[in-house]
Amino acid sequence: MTDADTDTDTDATPAQDAPPTRRLPVTDVSLVVLIGTTGAGKSSFARTHFRPTQVVSSDFCRGLVADDENDQSASAEAFEVLHYIVGKRLAAGRLTVVDATNVQPEARRQLVKIAREHDVLPIAIVLDIPPAVCAERNRHRPDRQLPPHVIPRQQRELRRSLKGLEREGFRKVHVLRGEAEVAAAEIVLEKRFNDLRHLTGPFDVIGDIHGCRSELETLLTRLGYTLGRDEQGRPVDAVHPQGRTAVFVGDLVDRGPDSPGVLRLVMGMVAAGHAVCVPGNHENKLGRWMDGRKVTVSHGLQETLDQLAGESEEFRAQVRTFIRDLVSHYLLDGGNLVVCHAGLPEKYHGRASGRVRSHALYGDTTGETDEYGLPVRYPWAEEYRGRALVVYGHTPVPTASFVNNTICLDTGCVFGGSLTALRYPERELVAVEAEQEWYAPIRPLHTDAPGGREGRPLDLADVSGRRIVETALHGRVSVREENAAAALEVMSRFALDPRLLTYLPPTMAPSATSRREGYLEHPEEAFAAYREDGVRHVVCEEKHMGSRAVVLVARDGAALEKRFGVEGPGAIWTRTGRAFLSDEELTDAVLERVRAAAERAGLFEELATGWLLLDAELMPWSLKAVELLRRQYAAVGAAAGSALPVVLAALEQAAGRGLELGELTARQRQRAADAEAFTAAYRRYCWPTEGLSGIRLAPFQVLAAEGANLAVRPHDEHLAWIDRLVDADDPQAPILRSTGRLLVDTADEESTAAGVAWWEGLTTAGGEGMVVKPLSSLARTEGRGGPGGLIQPGIKVRGREYLRIIYGPDYTRYLDQLRQRFLGHKRSLALREYALGLEALDRLAANEPLWRVHEAVFAVLALESEPVDPRL
């Protein structure tokens, strides 16, 4: 591009007799190329009809690289920048407008190429303005005076281009001739044909039918649809009483006994608005045959042609029109659901091009053939990491199963398998068996879905580097690269099987620092904090001095294998994802006791689940923290026990000789008493165990069951479940322990006073303290027009003697300094980890792929490596 490649126009003068409005349809995600000579008014047109962020101007790009929009010597570099910006916008799915002269074929060719690379439609808008008008406008530009030959040359190039724009690849060409037509133009944004995001369901997505009309009727009936029939008794519609919509993934025809019957029913449902349908490769081939194009009659097409021969000409014409109007794929439910025939990588979602249509119809192959002479499909689903659920068919599998966030519903009905539907958003599968083998398959059905149960479950790219995790409750949570590296070290070397590691508990925020004499923490601050946040009803739960444990217990080995792909009774793990007990037999014994209690309590049956995920404390503390006790606590107690009696004896001897050492002796006696209290404090939480004897497990929350995130249920429900579980334990040798609790009304002085008294009783008796939680479990502040930010899910209030273990034997003498502790980071960490934990449980309940669940779990572990005072 040389000379003046950009617009130098001023605002056009409106015509006296304005023509009727000229409506220019523009696809909402496309590349709009403005074409016109210098001075044609392209920049004014762009400003009038498009947002400033949508327009990429070559003048602006020239200014970026040369600090002068008129520096023609910088044009090459400017257009490199322009093409880069255009590519980035199109990759992000943004409508993009190029404001440059674009009268030369070479300039347009590069833009059409970029549009094709990003699978969007290139649209040309031509401003054909008389040269004299353009020249006059340029004369009013003091910053640029063009040579007289420029505009005539550009006008000649424009004239040569007009007839060939569609051949160049532009899907729409709008030509505005003269100032009046430009002034009367109106841009009308059109949705892409594949954009049905406004349809939110619920949906019933149905796999490949291949002419099996009877099985389709049975499946629709089982799904709750009522069939409508014509006067001949043939099904021509199906309506669901709850307004559900059927979605067909294509391959309605060929091989089976009644392709016309399937077409009649599906076409009727689509026409009535009760279904949508995408084409399969078999419809595509049938449509080409009906259009008179040359196709190879194979793979069951002859059966369909023979069956259609018995239908009326009118029906065949309807079929031809129906197939011609089918769109390659659909975006549904706000873009959360993508339906196509052969699967579609995320970069193609919502795009429109021959390449996208081909992939949606036929998928991608490796270029190889198998032992049956059939093409080997590229395992795109194993690499899929998109947010949208992709539902497809095309490649028969014996059983539909989720592979990452995709599922293939072609379960080979025509080959004697089954016809399968996916209920969305429930993610429930409904299938009916084939009445017989209608067509012998060339290749037997594979034993597994593509990629196995989870495809490629985890990838280093899913967790390495700086991460942003989207949570439903707390927005975007970022993970620093260094924290991700620390978590990866733990996860890869020490954590248990990632298929089981579906949740890590969050850290817990301490109460605000107390100003009461002799106290660092006190319940009054916790009650006040919730009262200020508008939380009136809270539950105070006894804090057990053990180690946090997550317990996954299965009703039987088959239940765990079915859901998690791992055989066994379950698992018990720590806050860092490590197996809690190194002794597998002891772990199995604990799990068996929990399983038996849950069975007797009826929890499996009540919650309709084959497994339960529990949050708990496993005691004694010494069971897990014995090394910590030896190194950090027992050593302090032993040193004080050895040194301080000697010091006191020496001081008493000196005092006996008449030295004035009363103050020093009193201080040392206090140190000895503090050391004794310190030793007594940690010893309360330590006792010997042998096998199950001495072990105590105190569950306090049922986190999840099959298809349900239970962590958001009110705490009184959880405690009721736990009470039933504890009551059902073996009374002869119980290991399950209940959690004491007290309901408190934060707006009632008597109630809060009772809460304080209850805490004092717990801590005086040697207890660690309590955790104060909103009774409703999930609490949020009131925001404008809806819920606001998250409120702390729990505030721990630890007793005076327990804090002696944390802050040191003589911490009470330094309370003024300790009261300066900074709690903001710890509180922020607690909220972020809590949101991530609930996000993991939501994804688990929705049966999302392992990598999606693990993304949130891994982020919790990564945040734990953020620098924060470990005593908080």
Side-chain angles (χ1 to χ4, degrees):
M1 298 184 182
T2 57
D3 297 319
D5 291 301
T6 61
D7 223 353
T8 57
D9 58 291
T10 58
D11 291 336
T13 302
Q16 295 298 318
D17 297 318
T21 300
R22 174 82 179 275
R23 297 168 66 86
L24 309 181
V26 170
T27 307
D28 58 356
V29 177
S30 59
L31 176 62
V32 178
V33 179
L34 301 181
I35 302 173
T37 62
T38 300
K42 299 181 298 299
S43 295
S44 294
F45 186 87
R47 286 194 298 270
T48 301
H49 298 286
F50 301 98
R51 295 198 300 268
T53 54
Q54 295 174 327
V55 180
V56 185
S57 162
S58 56
D59 272 351
F60 175 74
C61 293
R62 192 178 286 109
L64 285 179
V65 299
D67 290 330
D68 182 358
E69 294 186 355
N70 298 316
D71 186 354
Q72 298 298 313
S73 66
S75 290
E77 293 81 2
F79 276 94
E80 287 182 12
V81 173
L82 183 145
H83 293 153
Y84 179 81
I85 296 173
V86 168
K88 287 297 183 183
R89 285 187 58 83
L90 295 182
R94 310 288 185 192
L95 173 65
T96 303
V97 181
V98 175
D99 174 16
T101 57
N102 296 314
V103 294
Q104 297 170 328
E106 295 79 7
R108 299 190 297 269
R109 188 177 300 117
Q110 182 64 25
L111 293 172
V112 171
K113 179 183 177 183
I114 295 172
R116 287 175 172 168
E117 288 174 351
H118 294 90
D119 302 288
V120 301
L121 300 180
I123 298 174
I125 299 180
V126 181
L127 276 62
D128 187 6
I129 303 298
V133 174
C134 297
E136 180 63 24
R137 289 174 176 174
N138 277 301
R139 276 194 291 272
H140 289 84
R141 286 288 302 267
D143 57 336
R144 182 189 303 170
Q145 293 299 316
L146 300 176
H149 70 278
V150 171
I151 292 177
R153 175 178 58 77
Q154 292 179 351
Q155 187 71 17
R156 289 192 298 272
E157 291 172 331
L158 177 63
R159 286 275 172 265
R160 286 193 294 267
S161 299
L162 283 179
K163 292 183 179 180
L165 291 175
E166 291 186 356
R167 290 195 301 273
E168 291 179 12
F170 287 99
R171 297 293 294 274
K172 296 179 183 178
V173 178
H174 304 300
V175 180
L176 301 174
R177 303 185 187 278
E179 297 175 83
E181 284 197 9
V182 171
E186 177 186 349
I187 298 296
V188 180
L189 285 183
E190 294 183 333
K191 292 175 62 176
R192 291 153 286 164
F193 291 139
N194 53 39
D195 185 358
L196 297 183
R197 289 176 294 177
H198 61 285
L199 299 182
T200 57
F203 301 108
D204 297 304
V205 189
I206 298 174
D208 300 38
I209 303 168
H210 282 297
C212 299
R213 177 194 51 79
S214 180
E215 288 88 341
L216 175 59
E217 290 187 41
T218 303
L219 178 60
L220 287 171
T221 302
R222 185 169 297 179
L223 289 168
Y225 289 78
T226 301
L227 294 173
R229 300 181 183 274
D230 62 13
E231 62 277 3
Q232 297 173 268
R234 299 174 300 188
V236 294
D237 194 6
V239 183
H240 198 283
Q242 296 174 351
R244 299 180 71 91
T245 301
V247 184
F248 296 95
V249 303
D251 276 4
L252 309 174
V253 302
D254 294 350
R255 296 175 175 152
D258 190 5
S259 290
V262 173
L263 286 167
R264 184 175 288 106
L265 175 53
V266 173
M267 288 163 54
M269 293 179 69
V270 171
H274 301 143
V276 295
C277 181
V278 297
N281 57 299
H282 286 262
E283 281 78 51
N284 184 56
K285 193 172 186 180
L286 174 61
R288 287 187 290 126
W289 185 90
M290 299 182 86
D291 285 339
R293 299 169 65 181
K294 186 177 180 180
V295 298
T296 300
V297 180
S298 60
H299 301 297
L301 176 58
Q302 187 61 58
E303 285 83 350
T304 300
L305 297 179
D306 293 342
Q307 293 163 12
L308 284 172
E311 299 291 335
S312 67
E313 182 62 35
E314 180 185 6
F315 179 76
R316 289 195 295 270
Q318 291 172 352
V319 170
R320 182 182 177 189
T321 302
F322 173 74
I323 293 176
R324 183 182 297 163
D325 291 342
L326 292 176
V327 178
S328 67
H329 71 286
Y330 283 121
L331 277 66
L332 299 161
D333 189 26
N336 293 317
L337 174 64
V338 172
V339 178
C340 55
H341 179 62
L344 207 61
E346 187 175 30
K347 64 180 180 179
Y348 292 154
H349 295 178
R351 302 306 171 109
S353 69
R355 174 170 55 182
V356 171
R357 182 174 177 82
S358 177
H359 199 296
L361 286 171
Y362 299 99
D364 198 5
T365 64
T366 64
E368 303 170 310
T369 56
D370 60 16
E371 64 270 29
Y372 303 99
L374 298 175
V376 176
R377 304 292 175 189
Y378 184 79
W380 69 274
E382 296 182 22
E383 300 177 354
Y384 183 74
R385 291 295 184 270
R387 291 187 57 83
L389 170 64
V390 179
V391 185
Y392 64 105
H394 188 55
T395 304
V397 294
T399 304
S401 62
F402 287 92
V403 179
N404 295 322
N405 207 19
T406 76
I407 187 168
C408 176
L409 294 183
D410 183 0
T411 47
C413 182
V414 76
F415 300 130
S418 60
L419 183 60
T420 300
L422 172 72
R423 282 187 171 131
Y424 177 93
E426 300 89 343
R427 290 192 177 224
E428 297 175 1
L429 293 171
V430 179
V432 297
E433 297 298 317
E435 295 179 359
Q436 67 177 68
E437 182 185 278
W438 299 104
Y439 195 93
I442 298 175
R443 175 174 54 200
L445 296 182
H446 291 172
T447 55
D448 289 309
R453 180 186 300 270
E454 290 285 357
R456 178 158 49 82
L458 296 176
D459 190 301
L460 183 61
D462 294 332
V463 293
S464 61
R466 184 174 181 270
R467 309 294 304 166
I468 300 291
V469 182
E470 293 281 353
T471 67
L473 295 175
H474 201 57
R476 305 175 71 180
V477 177
S478 62
V479 177
R480 296 191 183 99
E481 182 175 1
E482 58 269 26
N483 295 340
L488 188 60
E489 169 75 7
V490 174
M491 198 69 78
S492 60
R493 295 182 60 188
F494 307 112
L496 49 73
D497 191 322
R499 291 173 293 179
L500 299 175
L501 193 58
T502 51
Y503 177 81
L504 286 179
T507 190
M508 189 170 294
S511 65
T513 303
S514 174
R515 290 296 170 183
R516 276 194 171 219
E517 182 66 29
Y519 288 91
L520 187 61
E521 295 180 6
H522 193 273
E524 289 174 343
E525 282 69 32
F527 296 146
Y530 281 127
R531 184 168 56 249
E532 291 170 6
D533 283 331
V535 178
R536 180 166 179 176
H537 300 288
V538 298
V539 58
C540 304
E541 295 183 9
E542 172 189 3
K543 198 171 191 309
H544 302 282
M545 184 49 189
S547 299
R548 193 78 170 265
V550 180
V551 180
L552 174 63
V553 59
R555 193 172 193 177
D556 52 53
L560 205 68
E561 199 283 330
K562 179 181 179 182
R563 178 60 184 85
F564 299 97
V566 178
E567 295 182 354
I572 306 174
W573 60 88
T574 67
R575 288 195 65 239
T576 56
R578 309 174 194 225
F580 196 103
L581 301 169
S582 57
D583 187 334
E584 290 187 12
E585 290 186 4
L586 182 57
T587 299
D588 291 349
V590 174
L591 289 169
E592 172 55 27
R593 292 292 296 274
V594 178
R595 184 209 64 77
E599 190 71 72
R600 286 192 290 268
L603 294 183
F604 290 121
E605 185 174 352
E606 177 181 328
L607 298 173
T609 185
W611 53 273
L612 292 170
L613 191 66
L614 308 174
D615 206 350
E617 287 279 332
L618 193 53
M619 298 165 281
W621 189 30
S622 51
L623 185 66
K624 186 63 182 174
V626 62
E627 286 302 316
L628 178 68
L629 282 166
R630 288 196 185 106
R631 289 183 284 103
Q632 188 165 325
Y633 300 112
V636 173
S642 299
L644 290 176
V646 176
V647 171
L648 286 172
L651 288 172
E652 288 171 357
Q653 289 177 5
R657 294 195 298 270
L659 295 176
E660 290 293 333
L661 299 173
E663 183 179 346
L664 178 59
T665 301
R667 189 163 61 248
Q668 294 306 313
R669 284 195 179 117
Q670 183 60 51
R671 290 187 66 197
D674 289 342
E676 184 177 347
F678 171 82
T679 303
Y682 77 75
R683 281 181 174 169
R684 290 190 187 100
Y685 311 116
C686 307
W687 59 81
T689 63
E690 183 175 350
L692 285 179
S693 178
I695 289 180
R696 296 292 181 269
L697 180 70
F700 53 85
Q701 192 170 24
V702 184
L703 295 167
E706 185 63 54
N709 174 3
L710 301 174
V712 296
R713 303 278 282 271
H715 281 294
D716 53 354
E717 290 188 31
H718 287 278
L719 294 170
W721 285 327
I722 298 304
D723 286 346
R724 287 166 52 189
L725 189 68
V726 173
D727 291 343
D729 193 16
D730 183 356
Q732 302 302 318
I735 69 166
L736 298 179
R737 179 172 168 178
S738 63
T739 295
R741 81 296 303 259
L742 180 72
L743 297 180
V744 170
D745 182 345
T746 61
D748 184 280
E749 290 186 9
E750 288 188 11
S751 184
T752 56
V756 170
W758 189 71
W759 175 81
E760 289 174 343
L762 286 176
T763 54
T764 301
E768 177 182 342
M770 69 182 183
V771 180
V772 185
K773 304 175 180 178
L775 182 61
S776 60
S777 188
L778 180 60
R780 307 189 72 162
T781 59
E782 289 298 325
R784 294 180 179 177
L790 278 179
I791 293 173
Q792 287 292 345
I795 297 176
K796 58 185 178 183
V797 187
R798 296 166 290 184
R800 288 185 64 195
E801 293 308 306
Y802 174 76
L803 288 174
R804 198 179 299 279
I805 304 174
I806 303 302
Y807 285 98
D810 53 355
Y811 87 102
T812 53
R813 289 190 286 157
Y814 306 102
L815 285 179
D816 287 341
Q817 293 93 318
L818 291 176
R819 287 189 173 112
Q820 306 306 312
R821 60 185 188 165
F822 177 66
L823 303 178
H825 192 185
K826 180 74 169 182
R827 289 171 171 169
S828 169
L829 201 60
L831 285 177
R832 284 178 284 155
E833 291 185 12
Y834 174 63
L836 286 166
L838 290 185
E839 183 68 24
L841 295 177
D842 278 342
R843 296 178 182 185
L844 177 68
N847 204 26
E848 293 199 34
L850 175 63
W851 75 268
R852 284 271 295 159
V853 178
H854 217 258
E855 179 186 46
V857 174
F858 183 89
V860 174
L861 184 59
L863 292 183
E864 277 297 293
S865 62
E866 285 195 7
V868 65
D869 187 347
R871 301 171 299 178
L872 294 177

